[in-house]
Amino acid sequence: MSRLPFYLLVGLLLVMGIALSVHRHVTLEVPWTPGEQREVWEVEALVNFNAQGGPVLVNMSLPPEQQGFRLLTEHTASPGYGLAFLEEHGGRRAQWSIREASGSQQLYYTTQLLVTPGARPPQVAPPALRRDIVWERPYDTAAVQVIERAWGRSADAFTFARELIRDFGDDRLGENSRLLLTQFDRGPLLVRLLNQAGVPAREVSGLLLEDGRRRQALSQWVQVFDGERWALFNPVSGEQGMPENLLLWESSGQAVLEVQGGTNSRATFSMLNRTQPASAAVRSQLDEDTLLNFSIHSLPLEEQALFQTILLIPIGALVVVLLRILVGIKTSGTFMPVLIALAFIQTTLITGLIGFLLIVAVGLVIRNYLSYLNLLLVARVSAVIITVIAIISLFSVLSYRFGLNAGLTITFFPMIILSWTIERMSILWEEEGPKEVLIQGGGSLLTAVLAYLAMNNPWVRHITFNFLGVQLILMALILMAGNYTGYRLLELRRFKPVTED
């Protein structure tokens, strides 16, 4: 029978698991290892104005999607005001409204931004060229001469913008440039000149991030497009490029703050830089489940804690499969060691080993007595279950009385599994002898310890919880191991006499 469908299934599981995991790491920046830190900026905008006793409508621009930063959370503090987040002219804005207000007013907007230096820049549409630029005399002649002078020393849109800005610097300030500056502000003037020369440009507002700064104002920048790309220019120095600590706050060419029904309005900004675990920094993004972003982070925390343990079971199952199929270790029950390993996670390894050995040893003694009663199987197993419960209760009370609080965690052992383990070992003792009991019991305990070490590893816990695609990879590995039909490692000792000869 052809094995091609089997290999196709294994390959499909591997590809899907790896693709889903890489997608979450690249797109959502979920880290591969636990303990990684991410840099987060918390920025607070404070809007102050004096209300005139009537209706008030406040519009403030909000940071757009941009390279280098990703929005994590945002919230406002505006008692008595209605609030809406709007999409206008390609940008985001917050709109506060109230029917009646008077006197000094304060509105707060706070956002957390994750620093993402490796993120790809979003697509930004260039602004439309202004064709209705009209200059009064003699500014029209000055504007033409300034444009012609910079155009002759440039080769493309970006070099033209740089030369144009430098013509308004102190070292190259001519009569025409000085005349234009007496009538227009520098930022809007540069945009008008660039548009007149056929270069798409607009004025944008940015916030220079410095840790611990308070009551900072936005700075003005000029965004220039060359048809395919865009570049940011300092309107004073002419330097090209976006500083690493610059956060674009308004990039659609609109006003940063508009207040209707108030006077003396202004917006100031405070900022704080801190680091936090990467898993916490991206948690808000993981809450939104999609087809490719399927995760359990949207569940309540109680269920998340439960699944964090459940998702470790396939790791223990893989350890059992490898030890039984490839190594040849015998265990009492197929996946009993996995459940014992889960109990070890709750009790710690040493406490779990001592508790497991005590329960099984005492249970075997009592089970040996029950064998003389000639009970039916169901009644005998039920009696063993009650015995195990009594043993666990007794050990818990005694450990508490002696001040050994670690002994209380013995209740995490699966009682039904322990009962069946005692039953199997007792029957095995009667049929095969104590040697086989020690072989299978020791193999079960060794497998449980190795499964515990694998499942309790911080890196494994992080990977299984944050990358559900790993479950598909584990499934593929288990299927591949299940297809093995060769010698087990412990069976090779049968050939030892051959090597001696």
Side-chain angles (χ1 to χ4, degrees), residues 138-139 142-143 145-146 149 167-168 172-182:
Y139 304 109
Q145 292 181 0
V146 168
R149 182 182 179 187
D167 281 343
F168 287 90
R172 285 165 52 174
L173 187 64
E175 294 183 0
N176 293 321
S177 303
R178 187 180 293 107
L179 177 63
L180 292 172
L181 287 176
T182 60

Coordinates of all heavy atoms in Angstrom, one line a residue, residues 138-139 142-143 145-146 149 167-168 172-182:
P138 N 4.9 91.7 -4.5 CA 6.0 91.2 -5.4 C 6.4 89.8 -5.0 O 7.4 89.3 -5.4 CB 7.1 92.1 -5.1 CG 7.0 92.5 -3.7 CD 5.5 92.5 -3.4
Y139 N 5.5 89.1 -4.2 CA 5.9 87.8 -3.7 C 5.9 86.7 -4.9 O 6.6 85.7 -4.8 CB 4.9 87.3 -2.6 CG 4.8 88.3 -1.5 CD1 3.7 89.1 -1.3 CD2 5.9 88.4 -0.6 CE1 3.6 90.0 -0.2 CE2 5.8 89.4 0.4 CZ 4.7 90.1 0.6 OH 4.6 91.0 1.7
A142 N 9.4 86.8 -6.4 CA 10.3 86.2 -5.4 C 10.2 84.7 -5.4 O 11.2 83.9 -5.4 CB 10.1 86.8 -4.1
A143 N 9.0 84.2 -5.4 CA 8.7 82.7 -5.3 C 9.3 82.0 -6.6 O 10.0 81.0 -6.5 CB 7.3 82.4 -5.2
Q145 N 11.7 83.1 -8.5 CA 13.2 83.1 -8.5 C 13.8 82.1 -7.5 O 14.8 81.5 -7.8 CB 13.7 84.5 -8.2 CG 13.3 85.5 -9.3 CD 13.8 86.9 -9.0 OE1 14.4 87.2 -8.0 NE2 13.6 87.8 -9.9
V146 N 13.1 82.0 -6.4 CA 13.6 81.0 -5.4 C 13.5 79.6 -5.9 O 14.4 78.8 -5.8 CB 12.9 81.1 -4.1 CG1 13.2 80.0 -3.1 CG2 13.2 82.4 -3.4
R149 N 16.2 79.0 -8.7 CA 17.5 78.8 -8.1 C 17.7 77.4 -7.5 O 18.8 76.8 -7.8 CB 17.7 79.9 -7.1 CG 19.1 79.9 -6.5 CD 19.3 80.9 -5.4 NE 20.6 80.9 -4.8 CZ 20.9 81.6 -3.7 NH1 20.0 82.4 -3.2 NH2 22.2 81.5 -3.2
D167 N 18.0 77.3 1.1 CA 17.9 78.7 0.6 C 17.2 79.6 1.7 O 17.3 80.8 1.6 CB 17.2 78.8 -0.7 CG 18.1 78.4 -1.8 OD1 19.3 78.3 -1.6 OD2 17.6 78.1 -2.9
F168 N 16.5 79.0 2.6 CA 15.9 79.8 3.7 C 16.7 79.7 5.0 O 16.2 80.2 6.0 CB 14.5 79.3 3.9 CG 13.5 79.7 2.8 CD1 13.3 78.9 1.7 CD2 12.8 80.9 2.9 CE1 12.4 79.2 0.7 CE2 12.0 81.2 1.8 CZ 11.8 80.4 0.8
R172 N 22.4 81.1 3.7 CA 22.1 81.3 2.3 C 20.9 82.1 2.1 O 20.3 82.1 1.0 CB 22.0 79.9 1.6 CG 23.3 79.2 1.4 CD 23.2 77.8 1.0 NE 22.3 77.5 -0.1 CZ 22.1 76.3 -0.6 NH1 22.8 75.3 -0.2 NH2 21.3 76.1 -1.6
L173 N 20.5 82.8 3.1 CA 19.2 83.6 3.0 C 19.4 84.8 2.1 O 20.2 85.7 2.4 CB 18.8 84.0 4.4 CG 17.4 84.7 4.5 CD1 16.3 83.7 4.1 CD2 17.2 85.2 5.9
G174 N 18.7 84.8 1.0 CA 18.8 85.9 0.1 C 17.6 86.9 0.2 O 16.7 86.7 1.1
E175 N 17.6 87.9 -0.6 CA 16.5 88.9 -0.5 C 15.2 88.3 -0.8 O 14.2 88.6 -0.1 CB 16.8 90.0 -1.5 CG 18.1 90.9 -1.2 CD 18.3 92.0 -2.1 OE1 17.4 92.2 -3.0 OE2 19.3 92.8 -1.9
N176 N 15.1 87.4 -1.8 CA 13.8 86.8 -2.2 C 13.3 86.0 -1.0 O 12.1 86.0 -0.7 CB 13.9 86.0 -3.4 CG 14.2 86.9 -4.6 OD1 13.6 88.0 -4.8 ND2 15.0 86.4 -5.5
S177 N 14.2 85.2 -0.4 CA 13.8 84.3 0.7 C 13.3 85.1 1.9 O 12.3 84.8 2.5 CB 14.9 83.4 1.0 OG 15.3 82.6 -0.1
R178 N 14.1 86.2 2.2 CA 13.8 87.0 3.3 C 12.4 87.7 3.1 O 11.6 87.8 4.0 CB 14.9 88.1 3.5 CG 14.7 88.9 4.8 CD 15.8 89.9 5.0 NE 17.1 89.3 5.2 CZ 18.1 89.2 4.3 NH1 17.9 89.7 3.1 NH2 19.2 88.6 4.6
L179 N 12.1 88.1 1.9 CA 10.8 88.7 1.6 C 9.7 87.8 1.8 O 8.7 88.2 2.4 CB 10.9 89.2 0.1 CG 9.5 89.9 -0.3 CD1 9.2 91.1 0.5 CD2 9.6 90.2 -1.8
L180 N 9.8 86.6 1.4 CA 8.8 85.6 1.5 C 8.5 85.2 3.0 O 7.4 85.0 3.4 CB 9.1 84.3 0.7 CG 9.1 84.4 -0.8 CD1 9.6 83.2 -1.4 CD2 7.7 84.7 -1.3
L181 N 9.6 85.2 3.8 CA 9.4 84.9 5.2 C 8.8 86.0 6.0 O 8.2 85.7 7.1 CB 10.8 84.6 5.8 CG 11.5 83.2 5.4 CD1 12.9 83.1 6.0 CD2 10.6 82.1 5.9
T182 N 8.8 87.2 5.5 CA 8.0 88.2 6.2 C 6.5 88.1 6.0 O 5.8 88.7 6.8 CB 8.5 89.6 5.6 OG1 8.2 89.7 4.2 CG2 10.0 89.8 5.8

